[in-house]
Amino acid sequence: IYLGSISAAQNLKALQQRNIQRVLTVASSLGISYEGTKIEHKIIEIEDVPDANFIVKIEEILEFLDHPT
C-alpha cells in the first residue's frame, strides 16, 4: 500500500513511475480521474469533516483492497 495526499493522487507521472495500479480515494468532490490509463480507481465518498465516519464504508474499502479486478 502506498499512501499519499491529494497532490500525490493527482501526479499521474509519479504514480506510473512507482507502478501504482490501483488508487483508492477516500474523500468527496475531488474530481480525480484516471481515464485512459491502466490505473483502477475507486472513490469512497466521505466528507472531510472531524466527525466523518468511514467505518460505515469499511467493507467497501476492504473489498477493493483485497480483490483487484
Side-chain angles (χ1 to χ4, degrees), residues 23-36:
V23 173
L24 174 65
T25 301
V26 182
S28 63
S29 304
L30 295 179
I32 297 172
S33 174
Y34 300 106
E35 189 173 329

Side-chain angles (χ1 to χ4, degrees), residues 5 8 17 19 22 36 43 48 52 54 57-58 62 66-67:
S5 65
Q17 287 174 336
N19 197 30
R22 305 171 80 228
I43 301 172
D48 188 9
F54 77 92
K57 302 284 188 166
I58 198 71
L62 293 175
D66 288 342
H67 299 96

